[in-house]
Every structure is written in C-alpha cells, then in structure tokens.
C-alpha cells in the first residue's frame, strides 16, 4: 500500500494526535491521554523540534520525533532522534527507513552533520533499521534520573 511522509507544522495538531494515538495503541494502551492542543501547537512551532508522520490513506501509521541539540564546546548542532515507530500492520514496507531519510534530508539542509539515537541492546529490529539507514553502533552506557 502507498504511503506519504509529511513533516508536521504548527497547523498539524490533529496529525500529531493521530501519531500519539498510533504509538500508544501499538504499545497496547486502551486509553490515550493527549497533551493539550496549546502544548502541541507550541512544540510544533519550535524550530528545534521535528516531527514526521507516515500516512496511508487518511490514517497516520507511524512517525518520528527529533530534537536539535546545540553543542556547548563547538558551534555545531546535532540531532537527537527521540522516538520512531510504525504500526504493526504497516511494517516491512520501508516506512521507518523513509522517516529516517526525511530527517536526514532536514539535517542536510540545516548543515547538521550528526544524528544520534538510543535503543535497548535487545531491540534487534531497531538496531537492524539504524544499521540499514547508515547508523553505526556505539556502546555507551546511558543513565536515567527519575526526578519526582
């Protein structure tokens, strides 16, 4: 089935909500709680935030989000691919690859030379995708602080 990739803008709050619903539903959630429209609109307006969706027919079937990270010690910006996902029914059709390629094009246009993304060591599908799209594996411990 044919799909299109779209970079979301501030007027695409409805598509952003569809992406959130797609991700939560794919994760098995029975109820989706969305951020407020004002919050999503503000986020989609930021130059440093990037969101892409894959659309089949009139449904969002996947997408990614990424954040520009300005470096402190050099005058460079790197891109952090924060989340990527494609609904189970739409996998194995090149959608995740197309989403990453769209992000890479944005990086080329903005002279961003590095994209980095994290995944768990047991996520074989993600590791395969990232290698296929030109990523190289780095073994770097990653710590999380949960501040409550």
């Amino acid at each position: 089935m044919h799909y299109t990739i779209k970079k979301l803008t501030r007027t695409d709050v409805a598509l952003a909500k569809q992406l959130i619903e797609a991700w939560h539903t794919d994760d098995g959630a029975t109820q989706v709680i969305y951020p407020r429209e004002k919050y999503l609109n503000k986020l989609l307006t930021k130059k440093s935030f990037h969101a892409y969706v894959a659309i089949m027919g009139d449904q969002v079937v996947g997408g990614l989000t990424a954040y520009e990270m300005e470096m402190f010690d050099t005058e460079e910006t790197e891109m952090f691919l924060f989340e990527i996902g494609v609904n189970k029914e739409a996998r194995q059709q090149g959608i995740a690859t197309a989403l990453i390629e769209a992000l890479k094009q944005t990086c080329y246009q903005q002279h961003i030379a590095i994209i980095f993304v994290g995944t768990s060591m047991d996520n074989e599908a993600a590791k395969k995708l990232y290698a296929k799209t030109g990523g190289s594996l780095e073994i770097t411990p990653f710590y999380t602080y949960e501040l409550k």
Side-chain angles (χ1 to χ4, degrees):
M1 182 167 260
H2 180 71
Y3 61 86
T4 58
I5 303 296
K6 176 177 177 32
K7 185 171 196 283
L8 299 184
T9 66
R10 65 179 182 80
T11 61
D12 294 319
V13 171
L15 291 174
K17 285 184 172 183
Q18 279 190 44
L19 177 57
I20 292 166
E21 182 176 348
W23 281 345
H24 285 263
T25 302
D26 200 52
D27 287 341
T30 55
Q31 183 179 12
V32 179
I33 299 172
Y34 302 97
R36 290 175 294 131
E37 276 195 32
K38 184 177 179 180
Y39 175 85
L40 288 173
N41 184 274
K42 179 180 170 187
L43 187 59
L44 291 170
T45 303
K46 290 186 177 193
K47 178 192 173 300
S48 60
F49 176 74
H50 304 271
Y52 298 83
V53 293
I55 303 170
M56 280 187 171
D58 61 352
Q59 284 298 116
V60 171
V61 296
L64 72 72
T65 57
Y67 298 84
E68 292 181 23
M69 309 287 288
E70 294 178 358
M71 299 296 100
F72 175 70
D73 59 341
T74 63
E75 292 184 24
E76 295 178 350
T77 300
E78 295 181 1
M79 187 71 75
F80 176 44
L81 194 170
F82 182 72
E83 189 165 6
I84 184 170
V86 176
N87 291 9
K88 287 180 180 89
E89 316 80 53
R91 291 183 186 156
Q92 301 300 316
Q93 298 184 50
I95 294 172
T97 298
L99 289 164
I100 290 174
E101 291 302 322
L103 180 62
K104 287 166 71 173
Q105 283 302 314
T106 294
C107 290
Y108 292 135
Q109 291 166 0
Q110 296 184 7
H111 307 289
I112 297 173
I114 295 175
I115 299 173
F116 62 99
V117 59
T119 192
S120 59
M121 287 305 293
D122 63 345
N123 190 338
E124 295 302 324
K127 293 189 317 187
K128 183 179 175 184
L129 169 67
Y130 301 143
K132 180 174 93 173
T133 55
S136 58
L137 178 64
E138 293 183 18
I139 308 298
T140 305
F142 194 84
Y143 294 85
T144 301
Y145 294 89
E146 291 191 28
L147 308 173
K148 296 183 181 188

